[in-house]
Amino acid sequence: MSRLMSPFESRGVVARNRVVISPMLQYSARDGVADDGHLVHLGRFAMGGAGIVFTEAVAVEAHGRITYGDLGLWRDDQIAPLRRIARFIRANGAIPAVQLAHAGRKAGTQRPWQGHGPLSDADREHGEPPWQPVAPSPVAANPARWVPREIAAHEIAGLLGAWRDATRRAVAAGFEIVEIHAAHGYLLHTFLSPSSNVRTDAYGGTFEGRCRLVLEVAEVVRAAWPQDRPVFVRLSAVDEAGWEIADTLRLAMQLKARGIDLIDCSSGSLYDSSTANSRLKRGYGYQVPFAAAVRSEVGIATMAVGLIVDPVQAEAILERGQADLIAIGREALFDPNWTLHAQARLSPDEGHDAWPIQHGWWLAIREKIFRRIADDGAGAASRSASDR
Ligand SMILES: Cc1cc2nc3c(=O)[nH]c(=O)nc-3n(C[C@H](O)[C@H](O)[C@H](O)COP(=O)(O)O)c2cc1C
């Protein structure tokens, strides 16, 4: 069996293989509530053989949404539709996983296909008024954006409460892994990075101060999440403005001490313009070295992500010991059956057992037909050669 198709175990959870569908926002929820579109979007990845299927970023509070289309877990009525999705993912052999997030200064954005800029008065006219986002400091993600309001120290307890309550709702929804989104320029990342956090109180300044909120969120989520289920944290292992891999290693060590089970190693996006993010050159597997460094230096499991497109590439990452899990995003949109195709490529003799039973049976017959046609073709070709 390939490394990619071997089971992954963390606490009491066992995934059937090491392919993870990375969180991918669909910007298609109404009032933070999941619908059939989310069920089909995520369900087909479970039917496509993935080991773990992550929801998109799910907001812990309404004003922590990137767009009005984001999913949320800030109200109890948001639980049931997600529970239906988690149940479907489980019934199809994958582990249902949820990513919890707060968008911070990137909140209040138009959907990508509406321009992806900050919400404006024009959006108010179709029922989506802008709001002022919050952040560690009044520093905007780019000059076109709202300057965020600085979160007051006395508001931190409320923020932690929102993370705790959303985590409890994620438990009620039946998810088996929770990931804290502390990357990509959203609220927690902006606390970490020195250019977006210029606070002078206990939540800013020194490395310890800037990490305080992330560590407190990790504690709150870990305490609210069942002991037999893992908690992951997604970090931007390096960013464009002063957060370096050495900082990630230090923080990962402290997260590990608080019971975090895996670091999901992404990078960048502190700002929201690709020019500002250009320090990070995007080649195939460009973030894998971060996963490798965290895994070897900190001794914690890691997930590699970012332009991992090919099963042989994924297998090599695992074989070299650079990561424990492989997350795929856009490749899964391109081919929801990526995992099943990867298995066929890495272990061509294994047949169709991993496919949904309703499909595998027919696909095995399809293979036989192909083989017979090929044999007949070869026979006909050799007959016509001997006729000549
Ligand atoms: C449509 C789309 C939506 C995304 N939404 C999220 C998200 O909700 N949370 C997150 O952490 N990353 C998000 N990402 C980033 C992906 O999880 C992943 O890290 C990135 O696409 C790189 O992996 P890839 O090269 O395999 O696509 C999104 C990416 C895409 C393409």
Side-chain angles (χ1 to χ4, degrees), residues 54 70 80 107 130 153 156 213 217 235 281:
F54 263 100
D70 294 17
I156 300 270
L213 183 65
V217 168
L235 295 175
K281 279 231 174 327

Side-chain angles (χ1 to χ4, degrees), residues 8-161:
F8 168 78
E9 192 168 349
S10 182
R11 299 195 184 235
V13 171
V14 182
R16 61 185 164 186
N17 61 52
R18 290 161 190 267
V19 180
V20 178
I21 303 302
S22 210
M24 281 186 284
L25 280 149
Q26 299 300 290
Y27 310 103
S28 299
R30 260 196 231 153
D31 205 15
V33 179
D35 63 19
D36 287 357
H38 300 92
L39 173 70
V40 174
H41 163 68
L42 295 170
R44 62 187 185 156
F45 301 133
M47 293 181 77
I52 298 170
V53 176
F54 263 100
T55 67
E56 64 191 70
V58 174
V60 299
E61 61 176 37
H63 280 181
R65 280 180 289 181
I66 305 166
T67 76
Y68 275 102
D70 294 17
L71 287 176
L73 269 174
W74 68 85
R75 287 194 321 264
D76 287 349
D77 67 288
Q78 292 163 332
I79 297 172
L82 285 174
R83 189 188 292 130
R84 179 167 171 244
I85 293 172
R87 205 183 292 135
F88 185 87
I89 291 171
R90 197 72 188 87
N92 283 275
I95 301 293
V98 61
Q99 185 188 54
L100 295 180
H102 189 301
R105 70 186 188 177
K106 288 188 179 180
T109 300
Q110 299 160 330
R111 295 169 187 81
W113 49 87
Q114 294 170 329
H116 224 192
L119 289 169
S120 66
D121 284 335
D123 297 292
R124 186 191 303 278
E125 278 163 29
H126 58 84
E128 299 196 335
W131 69 89
Q132 188 184 18
V134 295
S137 304
V139 182
N142 84 30
R145 282 199 168 258
W146 289 89
V147 174
R149 181 178 67 73
E150 177 175 323
I151 295 177
H154 69 83
E155 292 175 295
I156 300 270
L159 198 54
L160 292 171

